[in-house]
């Protein structure tokens, strides 16, 4: 029996010498919901720390800990928001045209592009990992 290919998430565009492959990020809804709920609790904790800092009733060592805690809180919020944005609006784009390979990662049309001359590319490999995790904790 001949298998029919499944419709994947990616789209391929060819126009003359141009080849463009667009791969949207995986929508791992369990992770998106979990991190969103975690972010709500984490924001409440950050507000408590900031309120304590503004009151000024704390000892000096407690205030130093709060400054360190708020810095860590800020990093945690940035990471969590970035993960949510990537899973909801991220995509990878590979484009080859006129001897140039462009690789772009973007979130809602904002991103970074790397350009390579095709003739200088050596030892190109593709790493494929199975994505059989139904809860959204897979590696892809």
């Amino acid at each position: 029996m001949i298998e029919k290919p499944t419709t994947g998430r990616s789209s391929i565009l060819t126009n003359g010498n141009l080849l463009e492959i667009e791969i949207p990020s995986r929508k791992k809804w369990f992770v998106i919901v979990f991190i969103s709920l975690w972010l709500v609790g984490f924001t409440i904790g950050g507000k408590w720390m900031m309120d304590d800092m503004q009151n000024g009733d704390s000892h000096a060592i407690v205030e130093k800990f709060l400054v360190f805690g708020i810095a860590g809180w800020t990093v945690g919020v940035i990471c969590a928001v970035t993960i949510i944005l990537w899973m909801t609006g991220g995509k990878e784009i590979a484009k080859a045209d006129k001897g140039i390979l462009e690789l772009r990662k973007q979130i809602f049309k904002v991103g970074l592009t790397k350009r390579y001359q095709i003739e200088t590319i050596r030892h190109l490999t593709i790493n494929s990992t199975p994505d059989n995790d139904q809860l959204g904790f897979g590696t892809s």
Side-chain angles (χ1 to χ4, degrees), residues 2-140:
I2 297 176
E3 295 288 329
K4 289 184 178 180
T6 60
T7 56
R9 296 178 301 123
S10 63
S11 63
I12 299 173
L13 168 74
T14 56
N15 186 4
N17 290 333
L18 172 70
L19 171 65
E20 182 175 330
I21 302 170
E22 188 174 292
I23 307 166
S25 63
R26 285 210 181 272
K27 311 301 186 249
K28 299 177 182 178
W29 295 108
F30 176 80
V31 175
I32 292 169
V33 170
F34 179 83
I35 291 178
S36 297
L37 293 174
W38 174 84
L39 195 54
V40 169
F42 202 61
T43 302
I44 292 169
K47 183 181 178 335
W48 286 343
M49 285 191 291
M50 288 181 204
D51 288 346
D52 283 349
M53 284 284 292
Q54 288 177 349
N55 289 341
D57 297 336
S58 307
H59 296 294
I61 194 156
V62 173
E63 286 183 8
K64 289 179 185 176
F65 174 76
L66 287 174
V67 169
F68 179 73
I70 290 171
W73 175 84
T74 303
V75 170
V77 167
I78 290 170
C79 290
V81 169
T82 302
I83 290 169
I84 291 170
L85 289 175
W86 173 256
M87 287 188 180
T88 57
K91 67 175 69 171
E92 296 177 80
I93 301 170
K95 194 184 295 187
D97 189 22
K98 299 179 183 166
I100 303 292
L101 174 65
E102 289 184 6
L103 302 176
R104 179 171 176 81
K105 287 188 178 187
Q106 68 182 32
I107 299 174
F108 297 114
K109 300 194 186 238
V110 176
L112 299 172
T113 302
K114 294 182 180 181
R115 291 180 176 87
Y116 305 93
Q117 288 185 322
I118 291 177
E119 66 266 6
T120 62
I121 298 173
R122 303 283 183 264
H123 309 293
L124 184 65
T125 61
I126 297 174
N127 296 326
S128 177
T129 57
D131 186 31
N132 52 9
D133 186 356
Q134 299 300 315
L135 291 178
F137 294 111
T139 56
S140 63

